[in-house]
Amino acid sequence: MGKVIAIDGPSGAGKSTMAKLIAKELGFDYLDTGSLYRTVALALREKGIEPNDPDDKILKALNDITVTFKGGRVFLKNASRFTPHDSRSNGRDVSEDIRSKEVDYYSSVFSAKKVVRDFLFDIQRNAASINDIVVEGRDIATVVFPDAWKKVYLDASLKERAKRRCLQFRERGIYISMEESRRDVMERDTRDSNRDTAPLKRAGGALLIDSSNLSIEQVKEKILKFIRAET
Ligand code: DC
């Protein structure tokens, strides 16, 4: 097992940006676990699965799919839904498809299910089996890698996170109002933090950073200083 730097926090706190920068700086691999939950949600919806379907039906559908994360891109292979792209060794690249508003919603809803979390547990653990890695998500330091080498909890105000989400959509040519963004972020926060299985929370010993009024460079420096400190 390599060294793991775990970064948790709510949506829009800047985890992906930071995890990529830290991984690059230290020469670590990088895993965005949110994209795994997003890919599973996309695959389940493509298979016509509803969030309130029984667990055995969801599990059967999950067993048909293979999710891989390579070079910052995510690939989906769906054994029972053959498309020409699925025949490629990695499956189809769904890195863009998983960023829709619909997947925002369904990934948060399906990720509350234990059956889905159990399915992704080994995939996440295996990612750290060889190389050192920065892993970001909601339960990385609390559940997936409770023995992580360094733990960071990255937060930002609701207003700031809603603003960042608005801008991210607009960069992709999708207009959403600040009010809609704020509502969506708040709903996801509530769902991700209050579910029974592996809710979002700060792990003991995790460095807490509020990035609301900090530049990307300032947050990066705080994390690097924490990582490099002798403990
Ligand atoms: O980080 P993100 O917004 O891409 O994640 C999408 C959803 O996946 C999020 O609403 C909650 C879920 N998720 C999770 O439950 N556990 C993780 N480790 C990562 C994401």
Side-chain angles (χ1 to χ4, degrees), residues 38-72:
R38 287 170 177 275
T39 304
V40 161
L42 177 75
L44 291 175
R45 290 304 295 147
E46 284 181 354
K47 287 158 107 36
I49 302 290
E50 295 291 341
N52 52 7
D53 279 341
D55 280 359
D56 57 345
K57 188 174 173 188
I58 296 179
L59 183 60
K60 190 166 175 291
L62 287 170
N63 286 332
D64 268 353
I65 67 178
T66 311
V67 185
T68 30
F69 190 85
K70 228 177 178 181

Side-chain angles (χ1 to χ4, degrees), residues 33-34 37-38 107-108 111 117 137-139 188 192 195:
T33 60
Y37 283 95
R38 287 170 177 275
S107 59
S108 174
S111 70
R117 305 200 75 81
R138 302 291 190 288
D139 61 339
R188 278 174 68 201
D192 297 345
R195 64 188 178 213

Side-chain angles (χ1 to χ4, degrees), residues 28-188:
F28 280 31
D29 284 352
Y30 157 66
L31 177 65
D32 164 9
T33 60
S35 69
L36 302 180
Y37 283 95
R38 287 170 177 275
T39 304
V40 161
L42 177 75
L44 291 175
R45 290 304 295 147
E46 284 181 354
K47 287 158 107 36
I49 302 290
E50 295 291 341
N52 52 7
D53 279 341
D55 280 359
D56 57 345
K57 188 174 173 188
I58 296 179
L59 183 60
K60 190 166 175 291
L62 287 170
N63 286 332
D64 268 353
I65 67 178
T66 311
V67 185
T68 30
F69 190 85
K70 228 177 178 181
R73 315 239 3 130
V74 210
F75 300 86
L76 168 64
K77 222 174 182 182
N78 192 338
S80 70
R81 185 180 172 275
F82 181 83
T83 73
H85 296 301
D86 284 347
S87 66
R88 291 181 190 157
S89 59
N90 284 328
R92 61 189 230 267
D93 184 341
V94 291
S95 311
E96 265 85 52
D97 296 354
I98 59 170
R99 299 290 155 194
S100 69
K101 261 175 67 64
E102 202 195 349
V103 176
D104 272 8
Y105 170 76
Y106 279 108
S107 59
S108 174
V109 171
F110 277 117
S111 70
K113 302 206 154 275
K114 188 170 182 304
V115 63
V116 170
R117 305 200 75 81
D118 288 349
F119 175 76
L120 285 176
F121 186 82
D122 288 343
I123 296 175
Q124 296 172 83
R125 292 281 308 177
N126 290 341
S129 58
I130 301 170
N131 296 330
D132 297 338
I133 191 166
V134 183
V135 187
E136 55 111 336
R138 302 291 190 288
D139 61 339
I140 305 308
T142 50
V143 175
V144 184
F145 294 105
D147 299 326
W149 179 53
K150 302 282 174 181
K151 300 179 178 183
V152 176
Y153 189 91
L154 193 55
D155 208 347
S157 67
L158 174 63
K159 189 174 162 203
E160 183 60 30
R161 292 186 293 117
K163 192 174 101 192
R164 290 177 191 169
R165 183 163 178 273
C166 251
L167 292 174
Q168 274 169 7
F169 272 113
R170 284 182 200 176
E171 273 166 19
R172 303 201 322 264
I174 303 163
Y175 178 83
I176 59 165
S177 69
M178 258 305 277
E179 192 37 47
E180 185 184 358
S181 180
R182 193 173 167 281
R183 208 177 42 237
D184 289 352
V185 169
M186 224 161 67
E187 265 177 29
R188 278 174 68 201

